[in-house]
Amino acid sequence: MSELTTIDEVNEFFDSAATFLKLDSGTRDLLKNPWRELKVSIPITMDSGELKVFSGYRVQHNAARGPYKGGVRYHPEADINEVESLASLMTWKTALVEIPFGGAKGGVQCNPLELSNTELNRITRRYTHNISHILGVNRDIPAPDLGTNAQTMAWMMDAYGQTYGYTPGIVTGKPVQLGGSVGRESATGLGVFLLLDQIATDLNIDVSKTTLAIQGSGNVGLWTAFFAFKRGFKIIAISDVNGGIYSSSGINIDELKNYLNENKSIQNFPDSDPITNADLLELECDFLIPAAIDRVINEKNVANIKTNYIIEAANHPITPEADKILLDKNVTIVPDILANAGGVIVSYFEWTQNLYQHKWTEERISNELQTIIINAFTQVKELSYKENIPYRKAAFILGIAKVVEASKLRGFLDK
Ligand code: GLU
């Protein structure tokens, strides 16, 4: 794979938009560099009695538009470089969809699949405690990401509350019983689906003949599949970390959900054939939806990608090198900072509900999510057509311009 690190790659996308906006090098430095990075050690007594020390990070990238906001991931590759790049994506994402937050990301370098619940609880509490002095309802609000979920947020809220008192707005993506929002769990998948459906409407295509391949069946992949299936799209493949399943006639996602509940895995789902994660990406399909980890489409496999549309449900699933090649082949790419923004949009609704201790209905959540994400998509499409540039570049330009504007108003930039 290319020698570039993830942060170099995200900055390549940034620079292409910054050039369009004619930003000088000082402004670029201000916007590229995180405002604060914190690395902490997390010593934990494992269930075996052995002491292990994990590394944890919180990168606060930019807060010109509001408090830092972004998820926490538990993953073996969650190092400072990855967390920094994901934090910057949050800055452009929250700006693009115009919600009043900046960007941040957290991570603990561990493999949650190899840890027990009690070990995860201890790691989460110690991590929260060690970064708590830089968090705050009006300062920095974590949320779930890869390898974390509502239970992790419940532990974070509880650990924070032990020092600072009851503070539900300190995290989003909590269980509903603890002040979480209805519709938050499905929000990222719903956002991906709303964009997919909008494209289908724009193109006036018959959804029952439209094929989808989805890499990943975690929170994002599975909810995307669920909404798309309900609408009548044909999902020909879906996967988890161990591999995927394929069916040319389409997978029944309602039945797959039940199967997953019973078997804890999608493997061997009836009337489907096994497929590897690598082969899934190379399937001939109308829409390819990477909804797992970063950099899965890169210089090694890009020549074999056979789709017309890619919707980036995962963060940074395509390297800049692969991105260029796909654009040359006229593949339309809906970029991560738009495609998966549904999660942070409903996090904003959850935070708002926590601030004034009032509950919104699921219908209100879905309607307001739809208004925000489709409005952002319309802006991206308009700029893309007007300037003849790809959606990603248009999305970065719109997001960066809003952060520049806020920076000027706050007095960080003179002109
Ligand atoms: N982790 C999600 C993301 O990458 C959600 C962040 C949030 O809700 O703050 O957008």
Side-chain angles (χ1 to χ4, degrees), residues 69-72 90 93 105 141-146 172 184 188 315 340-341 343-345 347:
K69 185 85 191 83
V72 175
M90 289 306 301
K93 191 184 302 185
K105 203 79 171 194
I141 307 114
D145 197 77
L146 203 69
T172 56
R184 172 62 184 86
T188 313
N315 285 313
N340 66 33
V344 75
I345 293 170
S347 275

mmCIF file of all heavy atoms in Angstrom, residues 69-72 90 93 105 141-146 172 184 188 315 340-341 343-345 347, ligand 1:
data_model
loop_
_atom_site.group_PDB
_atom_site.id
_atom_site.type_symbol
_atom_site.label_atom_id
_atom_site.label_comp_id
_atom_site.label_asym_id
_atom_site.label_seq_id
_atom_site.Cartn_x
_atom_site.Cartn_y
_atom_site.Cartn_z
ATOM 1 N N LYS A 69 -16.512 17.414 18.926
ATOM 2 C CA LYS A 69 -17.471 16.307 18.873
ATOM 3 C C LYS A 69 -16.896 15.188 18.040
ATOM 4 O O LYS A 69 -16.344 15.427 16.962
ATOM 5 C CB LYS A 69 -18.790 16.805 18.229
ATOM 6 C CG LYS A 69 -19.899 15.777 18.242
ATOM 7 C CD LYS A 69 -20.666 15.782 19.544
ATOM 8 C CE LYS A 69 -21.591 14.595 19.691
ATOM 9 N NZ LYS A 69 -20.901 13.385 20.188
ATOM 10 N N GLY A 70 -17.046 13.959 18.522
ATOM 11 C CA GLY A 70 -16.590 12.817 17.731
ATOM 12 C C GLY A 70 -16.514 11.554 18.548
ATOM 13 O O GLY A 70 -16.472 11.591 19.782
ATOM 14 N N GLY A 71 -16.505 10.441 17.852
ATOM 15 C CA GLY A 71 -16.578 9.135 18.493
ATOM 16 C C GLY A 71 -15.271 8.690 19.142
ATOM 17 O O GLY A 71 -14.238 9.354 19.056
ATOM 18 N N VAL A 72 -15.377 7.532 19.799
ATOM 19 C CA VAL A 72 -14.216 6.863 20.390
ATOM 20 C C VAL A 72 -14.184 5.468 19.793
ATOM 21 O O VAL A 72 -15.186 4.751 19.849
ATOM 22 C CB VAL A 72 -14.380 6.732 21.927
ATOM 23 C CG1 VAL A 72 -13.232 5.921 22.514
ATOM 24 C CG2 VAL A 72 -14.444 8.109 22.578
ATOM 25 N N MET A 90 -14.073 14.800 11.300
ATOM 26 C CA MET A 90 -15.231 15.259 12.086
ATOM 27 C C MET A 90 -15.419 16.770 11.958
ATOM 28 O O MET A 90 -16.536 17.266 11.908
ATOM 29 C CB MET A 90 -15.092 14.874 13.569
ATOM 30 C CG MET A 90 -15.249 13.403 13.898
ATOM 31 S SD MET A 90 -16.766 12.611 13.303
ATOM 32 C CE MET A 90 -18.046 13.571 14.077
ATOM 33 N N LYS A 93 -17.026 17.345 8.672
ATOM 34 C CA LYS A 93 -18.368 16.741 8.661
ATOM 35 C C LYS A 93 -19.382 17.630 9.392
ATOM 36 O O LYS A 93 -20.448 17.946 8.858
ATOM 37 C CB LYS A 93 -18.276 15.371 9.347
ATOM 38 C CG LYS A 93 -19.492 14.492 9.201
ATOM 39 C CD LYS A 93 -19.347 13.175 10.015
ATOM 40 C CE LYS A 93 -18.136 12.342 9.650
ATOM 41 N NZ LYS A 93 -18.088 11.053 10.362
ATOM 42 N N LYS A 105 -11.787 13.126 17.924
ATOM 43 C CA LYS A 105 -11.900 11.663 17.870
ATOM 44 C C LYS A 105 -11.093 11.088 19.011
ATOM 45 O O LYS A 105 -10.099 11.679 19.441
ATOM 46 C CB LYS A 105 -11.333 11.137 16.544
ATOM 47 C CG LYS A 105 -11.882 9.780 16.156
ATOM 48 C CD LYS A 105 -13.253 9.945 15.554
ATOM 49 C CE LYS A 105 -13.821 8.724 14.931
ATOM 50 N NZ LYS A 105 -14.978 9.077 14.093
ATOM 51 N N ILE A 141 -17.578 16.303 23.493
ATOM 52 C CA ILE A 141 -18.632 15.306 23.757
ATOM 53 C C ILE A 141 -18.369 14.040 22.934
ATOM 54 O O ILE A 141 -18.627 14.011 21.724
ATOM 55 C CB ILE A 141 -20.028 15.891 23.383
ATOM 56 C CG1 ILE A 141 -20.250 17.225 24.088
ATOM 57 C CG2 ILE A 141 -21.153 14.911 23.707
ATOM 58 C CD1 ILE A 141 -20.339 18.398 23.158
ATOM 59 N N PRO A 142 -17.849 12.975 23.554
ATOM 60 C CA PRO A 142 -17.609 11.731 22.814
ATOM 61 C C PRO A 142 -18.896 10.993 22.424
ATOM 62 O O PRO A 142 -19.990 11.340 22.875
ATOM 63 C CB PRO A 142 -16.788 10.881 23.793
ATOM 64 C CG PRO A 142 -16.244 11.841 24.794
ATOM 65 C CD PRO A 142 -17.276 12.922 24.905
ATOM 66 N N ALA A 143 -18.737 9.973 21.585
ATOM 67 C CA ALA A 143 -19.856 9.167 21.064
ATOM 68 C C ALA A 143 -19.290 7.810 20.646
ATOM 69 O O ALA A 143 -18.072 7.626 20.641
ATOM 70 C CB ALA A 143 -20.478 9.880 19.863
ATOM 71 N N PRO A 144 -20.141 6.873 20.248
ATOM 72 C CA PRO A 144 -19.601 5.583 19.787
ATOM 73 C C PRO A 144 -18.944 5.695 18.407
ATOM 74 O O PRO A 144 -19.268 6.595 17.637
ATOM 75 C CB PRO A 144 -20.832 4.665 19.697
ATOM 76 C CG PRO A 144 -21.959 5.397 20.328
ATOM 77 C CD PRO A 144 -21.621 6.851 20.288
ATOM 78 N N ASP A 145 -18.066 4.767 18.106
ATOM 79 C CA ASP A 145 -17.453 4.616 16.795
ATOM 80 C C ASP A 145 -17.153 3.123 16.663
ATOM 81 O O ASP A 145 -17.702 2.307 17.418
ATOM 82 C CB ASP A 145 -16.187 5.500 16.695
ATOM 83 C CG ASP A 145 -15.730 5.726 15.262
ATOM 84 O OD1 ASP A 145 -16.336 6.538 14.563
ATOM 85 O OD2 ASP A 145 -14.766 5.069 14.834
ATOM 86 N N LEU A 146 -16.257 2.765 15.760
ATOM 87 C CA LEU A 146 -15.904 1.368 15.560
ATOM 88 C C LEU A 146 -15.491 0.694 16.885
ATOM 89 O O LEU A 146 -14.640 1.219 17.599
ATOM 90 C CB LEU A 146 -14.705 1.367 14.610
ATOM 91 C CG LEU A 146 -14.432 0.117 13.811
ATOM 92 C CD1 LEU A 146 -15.520 -0.080 12.779
ATOM 93 C CD2 LEU A 146 -13.090 0.272 13.100
ATOM 94 N N THR A 172 -22.875 11.175 23.700
ATOM 95 C CA THR A 172 -24.092 10.842 22.948
ATOM 96 C C THR A 172 -23.983 9.394 22.485
ATOM 97 O O THR A 172 -22.907 8.804 22.547
ATOM 98 C CB THR A 172 -24.287 11.778 21.745
ATOM 99 O OG1 THR A 172 -23.111 11.702 20.925
ATOM 100 C CG2 THR A 172 -24.525 13.204 22.183
ATOM 101 N N ARG A 184 -30.974 7.058 17.625
ATOM 102 C CA ARG A 184 -29.540 7.324 17.495
ATOM 103 C C ARG A 184 -28.809 6.098 16.963
ATOM 104 O O ARG A 184 -27.916 6.216 16.127
ATOM 105 C CB ARG A 184 -28.922 7.759 18.850
ATOM 106 C CG ARG A 184 -27.382 7.881 18.848
ATOM 107 C CD ARG A 184 -26.899 8.935 17.863
ATOM 108 N NE ARG A 184 -25.451 9.029 17.745
ATOM 109 C CZ ARG A 184 -24.698 8.296 16.934
ATOM 110 N NH1 ARG A 184 -25.241 7.375 16.157
ATOM 111 N NH2 ARG A 184 -23.390 8.495 16.880
ATOM 112 N N THR A 188 -26.879 6.516 11.634
ATOM 113 C CA THR A 188 -25.874 6.557 10.562
ATOM 114 C C THR A 188 -26.393 5.765 9.355
ATOM 115 O O THR A 188 -26.316 6.232 8.209
ATOM 116 C CB THR A 188 -24.518 6.011 11.044
ATOM 117 O OG1 THR A 188 -24.218 6.606 12.302
ATOM 118 C CG2 THR A 188 -23.406 6.325 10.067
ATOM 119 N N ASN A 315 -15.585 5.639 7.551
ATOM 120 C CA ASN A 315 -14.716 6.806 7.427
ATOM 121 C C ASN A 315 -13.464 6.445 6.636
ATOM 122 O O ASN A 315 -12.815 5.432 6.924
ATOM 123 C CB ASN A 315 -14.320 7.322 8.817
ATOM 124 C CG ASN A 315 -15.464 8.063 9.487
ATOM 125 O OD1 ASN A 315 -16.117 8.903 8.876
ATOM 126 N ND2 ASN A 315 -15.732 7.730 10.739
ATOM 127 N N ASN A 340 -21.862 9.434 6.065
ATOM 128 C CA ASN A 340 -22.111 8.865 7.398
ATOM 129 C C ASN A 340 -22.414 9.944 8.448
ATOM 130 O O ASN A 340 -22.344 9.680 9.650
ATOM 131 C CB ASN A 340 -20.963 7.941 7.827
ATOM 132 C CG ASN A 340 -19.649 8.676 8.048
ATOM 133 O OD1 ASN A 340 -19.630 9.833 8.468
ATOM 134 N ND2 ASN A 340 -18.541 7.998 7.772
ATOM 135 N N ALA A 341 -22.820 11.127 7.980
ATOM 136 C CA ALA A 341 -23.073 12.225 8.923
ATOM 137 C C ALA A 341 -24.340 12.029 9.760
ATOM 138 O O ALA A 341 -24.546 12.725 10.753
ATOM 139 C CB ALA A 341 -23.159 13.552 8.168
ATOM 140 N N GLY A 343 -25.073 9.893 11.907
ATOM 141 C CA GLY A 343 -24.753 9.573 13.304
ATOM 142 C C GLY A 343 -24.538 10.824 14.132
ATOM 143 O O GLY A 343 -25.165 11.021 15.181
ATOM 144 N N VAL A 344 -23.688 11.707 13.647
ATOM 145 C CA VAL A 344 -23.384 12.905 14.445
ATOM 146 C C VAL A 344 -24.559 13.890 14.413
ATOM 147 O O VAL A 344 -24.760 14.652 15.361
ATOM 148 C CB VAL A 344 -22.025 13.530 14.040
ATOM 149 C CG1 VAL A 344 -22.095 14.280 12.722
ATOM 150 C CG2 VAL A 344 -21.523 14.444 15.145
ATOM 151 N N ILE A 345 -25.359 13.842 13.373
ATOM 152 C CA ILE A 345 -26.545 14.724 13.338
ATOM 153 C C ILE A 345 -27.507 14.326 14.463
ATOM 154 O O ILE A 345 -27.980 15.179 15.226
ATOM 155 C CB ILE A 345 -27.245 14.667 11.955
ATOM 156 C CG1 ILE A 345 -26.351 15.272 10.865
ATOM 157 C CG2 ILE A 345 -28.584 15.400 12.005
ATOM 158 C CD1 ILE A 345 -26.833 15.052 9.434
ATOM 159 N N SER A 347 -26.634 12.650 17.073
ATOM 160 C CA SER A 347 -25.922 12.969 18.321
ATOM 161 C C SER A 347 -26.222 14.401 18.737
ATOM 162 O O SER A 347 -26.392 14.699 19.918
ATOM 163 C CB SER A 347 -24.404 12.845 18.127
ATOM 164 O OG SER A 347 -23.987 11.514 18.311
HETATM 165 N N1 GLU B 1 -18.420 8.115 15.259
HETATM 166 C C1 GLU B 1 -19.400 8.753 14.436
HETATM 167 C C2 GLU B 1 -18.736 9.478 13.263
HETATM 168 O O1 GLU B 1 -17.660 9.132 12.841
HETATM 169 C C3 GLU B 1 -20.357 9.623 15.247
HETATM 170 C C4 GLU B 1 -19.728 10.736 16.001
HETATM 171 C C5 GLU B 1 -20.664 11.447 16.968
HETATM 172 O O2 GLU B 1 -21.836 11.114 17.003
HETATM 173 O O3 GLU B 1 -20.177 12.340 17.669
HETATM 174 O O4 GLU B 1 -19.304 10.358 12.684
#
